Amino acid sequence: MKKIVMVTCLLLASFLEVNGQGVVKGIILDNNSKKPLKGVLVKIRNTSKNQTTDLNGSFVFKNFQRRKAILELTLVGYETQNIPIELSENVLDLGSIFLFKIVIENQDLSLITLTDDELNDDASSADNISGLLQASKDIFLRTAAYEFSSSFFKIKGLDSGNGKVLINGIEMNKIYDGRAQWGNWGGLNDVLRNQEFRNGLTPSDVTFGGLLGATNMNTRASEQRPGIRVSYSSSNRSYQHRIMATYSTGMLKNNWAFTFSGSRRIGTEGYNDATSYNAYAFFTSIEKKLNDKSSINFTGIFTPNRRGKSSPNTQEVFDLKGIKYNDYWGFLNGKKVNSRIKEVSEPILMLNHYWNISEKTAINTNVSYQFGKIGNSRIDYNGGVNPSAAYYQNLPSYFLRYDDFEGAYDAENNFVNDGQINWNRVFDANKTNNNSGLENAYVLYEDRNDDKQFTINTILNTEVNDHISINGKIEYRRLNSHNFASVIDLLGGDAYLDIDPFGATEEEKQNDLLNPNRIVREGDDFKYNFNLNSTIISAFTQAQFRYNTTDFYATLKVSNTTHQREGLYKNGSFSENSLGMSEAQKFMNYGFKTGVTYKITGRHLVDINAAYITTAPTTRNTFSNSRENNNVVLDLQSEKTLSTDVSYVYRSPIITSKFTAYYTSVKDATEISFYFADGVGGDNTAFVQEILSGISKKHMGLELGLEAQVTASLNLKGAAAIGQFTYDNNPNLYLTTEADNESLVAGFVNGFKDFGTTNLKNYKLAAGPQNAYSVGFEYRDPSYWWGGATLNFFSNTFIDISPLNRSQNFYLDDDGLPFLEYDTEIAQGLLKQEKFDNYSVVNLVGGKSFLINGYYISVFATVNNLLNKTYKSGGFEQGRNANYRQLLEDKSLDKPVFGNKYWYGRGATYFMNVSVSF
């Protein structure tokens, strides 16, 4: 009997245990794409049980013995979710669970950090690396985007043109200078979140890419997150206010999908004085599903924007007026009016056809047309004096140079108490001239580029088998760029005389000999007028191989580039070669890159990449002075780049790290600069075009990113960039200028003077901080609030040096012999490259998310440079003192008249955003 009772009890206990156990399962999907998410950590709170989702986003907990519990869902880059469950049956199927990507608003495409410290002829070379790197999960790249970019850090010391930016497979980098102009799609964050970023030389399915990788933004209407999103932002950086709204339908039952977005950004003043901001953004995407295998999508983008510029300043000006001082503005009728306004209005129209031939093969055909204008305004002054309050003859140093202490005292008081453009004096000068029967002394005009660019390409992607995929692309790009100066405002006058006042003869003064002494008024073209035409035909093919322990790829690119100038004016100083078509400049180029990833174990990987690329000169660096003549840079060659990198990656449930060593060699590069030089061929002066050719550069360094998930909520992170970016040879230098009597005296022959080589080898490149370090933490609470802080340290930032001062012109007098007083040790001191002080900044970030009755509310704020640190972010040596005698005399003064000019980083700034999605 006892045995029967015991067996019965055991059977009953077993029965009760089985029936007390249950199964909890579900599928986790991305809320935007609705695609399954692999690797989501699903944890039962207050227990040790956890698992990660499989390829299908699925998880299953068996033998679930608790009646009530909380599931915690965690995945890097997504909002952590806590789901309460109650097990009333043996099987609880939670169905589809959606995770929301973390919205980090300080990564903001509309917050265009155009780096004024890098301006060269009003073109920025470091446009918003944070925008380029938005889609990356790499800890180092995210740190560079969020922490380093405000200090004008350049990844690997490379220009932003080395990163390719595409929208729907169409390259957006400008043909003129090779850089992407982020303002052409600024303010459209909501619809540009679907991105594919490829770091460095790693392969992309839509482009050969660049040394800094490639970003492809997908605007297909069917792949936008359905619903409505409205947000408001406040900032003291570029703009003060932004409001943005987006509506997307998703794919409707009638096989149509629609997305519309718009924003308004405005600010009477940014961080620097009188840097106004006024921008609109409009976006539409319409997709029609033709059948199960193909669809067609139209995208329209229009983002007109105007922003006030800020000036570089000498140390003397900074000491007198502070970090926010801007030389370009003055009061007019009680308002701050900036003379330097950049206006961009370039609509983009796209038509994309997507065709899935089979499950493994797809063809994407794209057509794009971009047109519109870029204008940069400034004051011209024939017969007037320079209206700038910071003009060297208005500053104390100019008077101290001649021991005029009274004049210096008056100049300092005038500059400190006012120090801006006197618009009333400008208007009065024009009215006085007009009353005397003379043309204006001043006029406000803009340098215009009216571009029309047509692009068509076809992209093929196919999977040969489970291990091999093939990509290919054929592309045609055609640019017609009309360049001219246009009168904006006569500033109280009646007319303006279109001449070059520096011309020595009546003929040389004429900007257009076909219309001599032309009188111009508002809306008229003057000064210069020409077209630049460029055609690029390119193709690339790529094979990618994926196996259990090894992945590798090989990519080949070929291209044919043609540049040609068409002069529309016959310039008086270049009457023989300014009007009509130039000789077409043609370049055949190629590139090859390859790489391998070896998976030592699931946690240890080694990645190696290498490339050799030849690149045609940009249109900007093809013609030595395109505003006035058809002259082409002498011995113009394609740029040649050899680059390689090796990375070690370690990944564990707690630590993710990546260590990279890289080396890049650039040869046969060309650079063109424009400035007014004193001391050319002795004590002569001239406005010159400085052409450097055959430049070699060397970039090498280390990058480290480290992230430790200490707890489910606390994340520690660190990053370091240690680089050395230098000139690697002594390139060739020559100057061009107008062929007049002054240039003959300075030793020019027909406006040309060859200075041989310039001694630049081992000088540092002006590429922002060459060393950057960051440490910080981020805390994410399960209650959907988060915050973090970072300490960032920067060092080895150098001034941009003057090549002319490192040439024979520096030590040769006008008789061709060295200066009698030339001292080698003193010369070395004069030519020592300025190194800026090291500095550190503290950044804070935080936010909170709410889900209320189906409304997703997000609040976000960030503070950069919390301690209001003042630091120099960049600068350049002025070319005014081009020889030993003049530079020594100037630097011997307590306050040099032509000291280096600097840009300063912003002080403490903030950005705040509130958004509602439903």
Side-chain angles (χ1 to χ4, degrees), residues 563-578:
H563 300 312
Q564 192 167 24
R565 179 188 183 273
E566 180 187 12
L568 303 179
Y569 281 180
K570 188 175 183 180
N571 186 279
S573 296
F574 302 95
S575 58
E576 299 299 322
N577 65 336
S578 55

Side-chain angles (χ1 to χ4, degrees), residues 452-472:
K452 298 177 181 178
Q453 182 168 315
F454 173 77
T455 303
I456 183 170
N457 66 43
T458 295
I459 303 170
L460 170 69
N461 290 286
T462 184
E463 294 183 14
V464 178
N465 53 45
D466 292 340
H467 302 289
I468 303 173
S469 62
I470 302 294
N471 317 109

Side-chain angles (χ1 to χ4, degrees), residues 105-208:
E105 293 292 346
N106 69 323
Q107 177 43 60
D108 191 340
L109 292 175
S110 65
L111 185 61
I112 308 168
T113 56
L114 290 174
T115 53
D116 287 343
D117 66 314
E118 298 292 346
L119 290 179
N120 185 1
D121 194 25
D122 299 329
S124 169
S125 66
D127 295 334
N128 194 14
I129 66 166
S130 57
L132 175 65
L133 304 176
Q134 164 165 303
S136 175
K137 293 182 180 180
D138 184 286
I139 178 61
F140 173 80
L141 295 178
R142 280 192 285 124
T143 302
Y146 304 146
E147 311 296 344
F148 297 165
S149 63
S150 60
S151 290
F152 314 105
F153 172 81
K154 293 183 180 179
I155 295 176
K156 296 181 174 62
L158 295 170
D159 183 276
S160 64
N162 288 285
K164 300 301 180 182
V165 181
L166 302 92
I167 299 179
N168 299 331
I170 297 174
E171 185 173 330
M172 292 287 106
N173 295 59
K174 289 284 189 178
I175 294 177
Y176 176 73
D177 58 10
R179 303 167 185 158
Q181 183 161 281
W182 289 88
N184 281 336
W185 49 87
L188 296 173
N189 306 54
D190 289 349
V191 294
L192 297 176
R193 297 188 187 279
N194 294 334
Q195 299 187 12
E196 178 191 77
F197 174 73
R198 298 298 185 185
N199 179 29
L201 299 173
T202 56
S204 166
D205 293 344
V206 295
T207 181
F208 181 84

